[in-house]
Amino acid sequence: MTKIGCIIIDDENPARALVKAFIAKKGNFEVLAEAGNGFDAVKMIDELKPDLIFLDIQMPKLTGFEVLELIHHHPKVIFTTAYDQFAVKAFEENAVDYLLKPFSFSRFSKALDRVTEPRVNESNYIIEKINRSSELKRVVVKEGNSINVIKLSEIKYLQANDDYVIIKSGGKEYVKHQTMNFYENTLPSDMFIRIHRSTIINIQEIKKLIHIAKENYEIELQDGDRLRVSKSNIKKVKELINL
C-alpha cells in the first residue's frame, strides 16, 4: 500500500518530534521532511509535493496562512496550533482538521483518519475561508527562491492582469497569482479603496480627482501617475475625499 507522504511544519522542535512520533504509530503515513520556519516549508512543499502537511500557524518569518498563500502544490492540511482564535470556528467543518496544542494521540489519530475521507477539502478552499475572515497585515510574494514581504504602507496600488495581480511598491512590480476580490476583501478598508474593477489604490497615494468628461474620472497619484475610476466606484471615491 502506498503511504501518505507528510511534511511537519512547526518552529518548535518538541512539537515536531511529538507529531513525528504520533505518525510513526500510524502505518499508512510517512514523514518526508520537517520544516522549522515558513520559508523552508514553502520550498519543501513545492519540491517534495506531500499529500499532507501538519501546519503551525504562529511561526517566525511567515505564518502558516502565508505559507498556504505561496505554495504551488496544494496538499491536504491539518493545522496544529496553540491559538484557537485563528481558525477553530472558521474551519471546524471545512479543514481536514484543527489540532489545538497540547493534543493526545487519540485526538491526533482521529485527525489522520479524516485525511482519507472523501469529504476532505483541498487547501485552496481552506485559504479562501481564511482569507474571508482575516485582514491582511502585509503581503508576501514569491520570486524564484526569494520571498518578498511587503508592508501595506509601501504598496502604491494593485492592478489585475488576467489571473494575476500586479502589486506596485517601492518602484517595483510584484506579480502574484491572486484575485482582486481577495485583496478588496482582506486589505484594510481605511488604507485601500477599489476605484475600478481592475484597480485598488492606497488612499495615502491619492493627490487629486480629475474630471475628464461626463462620468469619466481619473485619480492622480502623488507621483503623477493617473488611474481611471469606474462609474460604479466614483461615488465612494467622492465620499472619501469629501466631494
Side-chain angles (χ1 to χ4, degrees):
M1 180 177 64
T2 302
K3 291 188 175 183
I4 295 173
C6 312
I7 292 180
I8 305 168
I9 304 158
D10 198 306
D11 61 312
E12 297 180 349
N13 287 329
R16 296 200 304 273
L18 178 66
V19 171
K20 190 174 183 179
F22 281 175
I23 290 174
K25 295 182 180 181
K26 303 285 285 188
N28 55 333
F29 293 83
E30 65 175 340
V31 178
L32 302 177
E34 299 176 33
N37 62 69
F39 288 159
D40 291 343
V42 171
K43 186 171 184 288
M44 288 178 182
I45 291 169
D46 284 337
E47 286 184 356
L48 300 178
K49 296 180 172 50
D51 304 297
L52 170 68
I53 58 174
F54 297 89
L55 182 61
D56 191 12
I57 295 175
Q58 284 291 77
M59 296 186 291
K61 299 183 181 179
L62 292 176
T63 68
F65 298 155
E66 290 170 336
V67 168
L68 293 179
E69 276 191 61
L70 294 170
I71 55 178
H72 298 293
H73 170 73
H74 294 288
K76 295 169 182 173
V77 180
I78 294 178
F79 292 105
T80 59
T81 178
Y83 304 95
D84 63 357
Q85 71 269 32
F86 289 110
V88 170
K89 292 182 180 178
F91 302 105
E92 61 187 0
E93 299 296 331
N94 301 309
V96 173
D97 213 331
Y98 186 101
L99 295 174
L100 187 62
K101 299 174 182 174
F103 46 82
S104 66
F105 174 71
S106 174
R107 180 66 185 84
F108 183 85
S109 182
K110 288 180 180 177
L112 290 193
D113 291 342
R114 296 186 67 197
V115 171
T116 55
E117 292 178 358
R119 64 172 293 279
V120 167
N121 297 288
E122 298 297 333
S123 57
N124 273 349
Y125 182 73
I126 298 171
I127 294 169
E128 289 182 10
K129 297 290 285 184
I130 293 171
N131 290 338
R132 283 199 292 268
S133 61
S134 303
E135 188 174 80
L136 286 180
K137 306 297 183 187
R138 59 188 187 179
V139 172
V140 291
V141 182
K142 191 170 185 291
E143 284 184 319
N145 293 325
S146 301
I147 294 174
N148 298 290
V149 180
I150 307 170
K151 295 179 181 177
L152 299 188
S153 59
E154 296 174 347
I155 295 175
K156 187 162 71 171
Y157 61 91
L158 307 93
Q159 283 193 310
N161 187 342
D162 294 328
D163 295 332
Y164 294 84
V165 171
I166 297 173
I167 301 163
K168 305 269 189 174
S169 174
K172 291 188 61 178
E173 292 186 353
Y174 301 91
V175 181
K176 185 164 183 176
H177 189 267
Q178 193 51 272
T179 66
M180 293 299 284
N181 285 340
F182 163 76
Y183 286 114
E184 183 178 27
N185 293 331
T186 55
L187 286 170
S189 59
D190 60 344
M191 289 185 67
F192 292 88
I193 183 172
R194 190 166 188 169
I195 63 169
H196 190 274
R197 178 172 53 83
S198 63
T199 310
I200 295 173
I201 65 172
N202 187 327
I203 293 170
Q204 294 300 316
E205 295 289 335
I206 298 175
K207 183 177 182 181
K208 58 185 173 182
L209 179 65
I210 302 171
H211 190 191
I212 304 299
K214 184 180 180 181
E215 297 185 331
N216 187 355
Y217 289 85
E218 290 182 347
I219 281 179
E220 183 176 315
L221 302 182
Q222 299 295 339
D223 64 359
D225 283 356
R226 287 190 176 188
L227 299 169
R228 181 184 170 193
V229 182
S230 67
K231 295 177 183 177
S232 61
N233 287 286
I234 187 59
K235 181 179 178 181
K236 65 179 181 181
V237 171
K238 286 183 174 180
E239 289 175 350
L240 176 70
I241 57 179
N242 296 317
L243 282 180

